[in-house]
Amino acid sequence: MAAAGGAAAEPQLEPPRRGPAEGEEAAAAELAAELAARRSAEARRLVLSPRRLWGPLPAGLSQWFPALEVLDVSGTGLAELGEELLALPRLHTLLAKNNRLGGPGSLPKALGQAPLSRSLRVLNLSGNRFAELPPALLGLRGLQSLSLGGNRLHGIPPDIQELRSLEFLYLGGNFITSIPPELANLPSLSSLVLCDNKIQSIPPQLAQLHSLRSLSLHNNLLTYLPREILNLVHLEELSLRGNPLVVRFVRDLTYNPPSLQELAGRTIKTRNVPYAPSDLPENLVRYLSLASNCPNPKCGGVYFDSCVRQIKFVDFCGKYRIPLMHYLCSPECSSPCSSASQSSTSQSESDSEDEASVAARRMQKVLLG
C-alpha cells in the first residue's frame, strides 16, 4: 500500500537463511578446510574451537595430523566421533565434553579393537547424553582416567571391572542408584567420584580398593556406610555431605530366625565339633566355610544367613561420627535387656570406636558439612 503523499515503499530483501542441515554441512566443510590448512606432521595437540557440528570428525584428520597425541573437541556439538578416530594410533588423551554424544553410533564400534585401545589413557565424555556406559569403552584396557559426569547414566555395568588400568573414575551428576560389587576389582583405582547421584548404599566389597585415596559420595541418599570402609587403609578424603545420614543411634532389629541348617552349623562352629570333608556332603562343607564371626568380642558366636543389622556411630578425626553397619549373630548381642548383653554392646561400641580412631589417624579429610 502506498505511503501517504509518496511512492510505495520497496520491500527489504533479507539474505537467504540456512536450514539446520545446511548450517551443519557448511560448518563441517569450513572445519575440514581449516584443518587442512593447519596440517602438521609434528603437531601433537589439537584443540577445535567451539562451533555447531554434528559429526563425524573430518575425514583426513589422521593424515593431516599423524603424530596427534591430544585431541580436544569439547563444545563442538558433535553427536558422533566416527571411524576417523580409529586412525590416530598415538592418541593418548581425548576430551569430548559438552557435546551431543550418547545416541547410537556416537562412538565407533571397533574402538576396543583398534590400536587406540592400547594408546588411550585419558577419556573425558562429561556433559553429554549417555544413558548407559558405552560397551565400546570396555575394550580400552589401557585407560587410566574416565569421566562421564553430567550424563544420563542410571547404572554402572559390572563389566567396568574390565578397565583394569583405571586410576580415576568420575561418574558424578548422573542418576545412578546402586554400585556393582565388581567395581572393587579395579586394583589401581585411586579416585572415585560418585557425587550427585541417587545412591542409597555402598557395597562392602569397595573395601577391596586398596589403592583408593579419594572417595566422593556427597549429595546422594546414603543413611549408613558399611563398617568395611575402615579397611581402606590409603583413603585420605571421604566426602559425605548432602546425604541423609542419621544423626542419632539407630538400631535395626529386623531379624529372621535361623534355619535348622544354620542352627546346626552354628553349633558345629562354636563348639568346634571335628569333621572331615569326607564326613559331609560337599554342599554342607562349603556352607560351613561361609561362617562369619559375630563382631561382639564377648559373644564368640557365628552366623551364616541370619543376622541382625545394626547401625553404630564411630568417631572419625575426633570430630565427626559416621554411621557404620554392623552384623550381629542375634538380637541378644545388641539387646539392653540383660546386664551381660549391655556389657557386650558397650564393649562392641568401644571396640568399634577404637577401630575407627585408628582409621582416623589415616584419614586426613572427612567432608560432612
Side-chain angles (χ1 to χ4, degrees), residues 229-230 235 316-317 354-364:
I229 200 170
L230 298 175
L235 195 64
F316 268 90
C317 302
D354 289 343
E355 184 180 11
S357 66
V358 173
R361 290 194 290 271
R362 299 193 303 259
M363 188 76 67
Q364 295 180 4

Side-chain angles (χ1 to χ4, degrees), residues 137-267:
L137 295 185
L138 301 176
L140 300 175
R141 302 302 171 86
L143 201 62
Q144 296 175 355
S145 174
L146 175 61
S147 299
L148 275 160
N151 276 273
R152 303 170 182 176
L153 302 178
H154 284 79
I156 306 172
D159 288 342
I160 198 168
Q161 65 183 339
E162 301 298 328
L163 302 178
R164 304 279 293 176
S165 300
L166 210 57
E167 299 175 5
F168 176 84
L169 179 60
Y170 190 104
L171 298 175
N174 283 285
F175 303 95
I176 298 169
T177 57
S178 62
I179 304 172
E182 289 80 2
L183 192 63
N185 297 330
L186 299 176
S188 302
L189 195 65
S190 62
S191 182
L192 176 59
V193 181
L194 296 169
C195 60
D196 300 291
N197 278 287
K198 299 181 181 298
I199 299 169
Q200 300 183 37
S201 63
I202 303 298
Q205 289 85 350
L206 246 58
Q208 300 169 21
L209 292 172
H210 299 303
S211 298
L212 199 63
R213 296 183 179 277
S214 177
L215 178 58
S216 296
L217 296 168
H218 52 271
N219 297 332
N220 276 286
L221 302 175
L222 298 172
T223 56
Y224 68 90
L225 299 176
R227 64 175 291 142
E228 287 83 358
I229 200 170
L230 298 175
N231 296 328
L232 293 172
V233 295
H234 297 296
L235 195 64
E236 297 174 354
E237 180 173 316
L238 173 62
S239 179
L240 294 171
R241 64 182 183 272
N243 281 283
L245 293 170
V246 286
V247 295
R248 62 183 179 85
F249 248 81
V250 177
R251 287 186 173 133
D252 183 357
L253 295 180
T254 301
Y255 182 63
N256 293 320
S259 64
L260 291 177
Q261 176 176 282
E262 175 153 352
L263 290 173
R266 290 187 181 196
T267 300

